[in-house]
């Protein structure tokens, strides 16, 4: 069982939500610590720790004697994306589309680099994982775990440290928030057979163009299913979003 959030974490969550909803636009100073402590029924030490947490994520800047000022969202860390993505219990479709854009660029670009720079052992392992994905009797959890292993191997095989770090920052968004939803969006066996066949040939022959094209088509098909599912949920009052 997960531990209950501490007082400063609860305050940080509330302030973060208010900032992301626009209650405190960029350039605006947050209320003084004393006022925030009264608002949240907490000690100033808890408020101070909460503000430090928000500063670490790039949402605010704290200057001695000048208080805490809200920063433009582009300056925030990638960790903020997962809070933007699900705000007030609903998925923010524009943010989801942007996350999927970046995911596609990272994975497809990594695939090209992996074909060009990956070792023979890495490419052999990639073909093994592809074969596992094509098995129709694989459980949903095993399918997702195998997919994550393959995507991780692609990033590793690219030899690009920054790319691997960027994927590591984005991965929790899909794992923590959308794992169950991804099970429902699993491609059919026939869809997987087609893409696996193309990718396996591309990896075997080290054809970077073919690998990039095939993987892009596969990622975009998954994107379409995800957005369609969000649209369907949005039209069903009372359903969790």
């Amino acid at each position: 069982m997960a531990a209950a959030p501490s007082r400063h974490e609860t305050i940080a969550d509330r302030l973060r939500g208010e900032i992301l909803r626009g209650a405190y636009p960029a350039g605006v100073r947050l209320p003084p610590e004393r006022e925030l402590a009264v608002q949240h029924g907490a000690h100033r030490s808890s408020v101070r720790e909460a503000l430090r947490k928000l500063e670490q994520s790039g949402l605010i800047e704290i200057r001695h004697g000048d208080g805490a000022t809200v920063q433009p969202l582009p300056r925030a860390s990638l960790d903020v994306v997962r809070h933007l993505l699900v705000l007030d219990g609903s998925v923010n479709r524009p943010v989801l589309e942007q996350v999927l854009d970046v995911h596609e660029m990272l994975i497809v670009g990594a695939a090209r680099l992996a074909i060009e720079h990956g070792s023979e052992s890495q490419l052999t392992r990639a073909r093994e994982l592809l074969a596992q994905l094509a098995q129709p009797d694989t459980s949903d959890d095993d399918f997702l775990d195998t997919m994550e292993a393959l995507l991780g191997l692609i990033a590793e095989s690219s030899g690009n440290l920054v790319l691997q770090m960027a994927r590591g920052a984005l991965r929790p968004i899909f794992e923590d928030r959308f794992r169950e939803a991804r099970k429902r969006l699993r491609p059919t066996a026939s869809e997987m057979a087609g893409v696996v066949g193309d990718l396996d040939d591309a990896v075997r022959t080290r054809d970077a163009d073919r690998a990039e094209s095939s993987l892009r088509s596969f990622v975009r098909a998954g994107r379409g299913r995800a957005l369609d599912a969000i649209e369907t949920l949005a039209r069903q009052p009372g359903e969790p979003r």
Side-chain angles (χ1 to χ4, degrees), residues 35-221:
E35 185 176 332
L36 288 173
V38 172
Q39 288 178 9
H40 295 276
H43 294 295
R44 287 183 64 177
S45 59
S46 295
V47 170
R48 191 173 300 118
E49 189 63 30
L51 293 177
R52 288 198 193 101
K53 190 176 182 69
L54 295 181
E55 185 179 40
Q56 289 170 357
S57 66
L59 279 176
I60 64 173
E61 181 181 27
I62 301 173
R63 290 187 178 180
H64 182 65
D66 198 30
T69 303
V70 178
Q71 299 300 294
L73 272 180
R75 298 184 186 176
S77 69
L78 277 175
D79 177 65
V80 174
V81 172
R82 63 188 179 91
H83 299 287
L84 265 177
L85 191 55
V86 181
L87 203 57
D88 298 325
S90 296
V91 175
N92 185 324
R93 177 166 175 147
V95 173
L96 176 60
E97 290 180 349
Q98 293 175 37
V99 169
L100 294 174
D101 284 341
V102 174
H103 180 258
E104 176 185 324
M105 288 187 285
L106 283 174
I107 295 304
V108 173
R112 170 172 283 279
L113 291 175
I115 294 293
E116 294 173 346
H117 304 298
S119 67
E120 288 301 323
S121 62
Q122 287 173 323
L123 297 188
T124 296
R125 178 56 181 157
R127 296 183 67 192
E128 292 171 353
L129 292 172
L130 282 168
Q132 291 177 31
L133 288 175
Q135 298 299 317
D137 57 349
T138 303
S139 71
D140 289 339
D141 281 313
D142 286 344
F143 178 86
L144 289 183
D145 289 342
T146 302
M147 180 64 75
E148 285 302 319
L150 177 61
L151 296 179
L153 179 61
I154 289 173
E156 177 188 334
S157 303
S158 73
N160 189 305
L161 176 61
V162 176
L163 186 152
Q164 293 176 63
M165 294 171 68
R167 179 182 178 272
L170 285 177
R171 181 182 176 187
I173 295 175
F174 296 99
E175 277 295 298
D176 297 345
R177 294 280 189 178
F178 296 108
R179 185 173 178 88
E180 292 304 313
R182 288 169 66 200
K183 292 179 184 179
R184 297 195 296 270
L185 299 174
R186 178 176 173 174
T188 65
S190 60
E191 288 173 329
M192 283 309 305
V195 71
V196 164
D198 282 345
L199 282 173
D200 184 71
D201 281 346
V203 172
R204 178 178 56 81
T205 60
R206 284 189 179 262
D207 187 337
D209 288 337
R210 185 175 180 183
E212 182 177 354
S213 175
S214 179
L215 191 54
R216 188 184 301 280
S217 296
F218 176 67
V219 170
R220 288 189 175 178

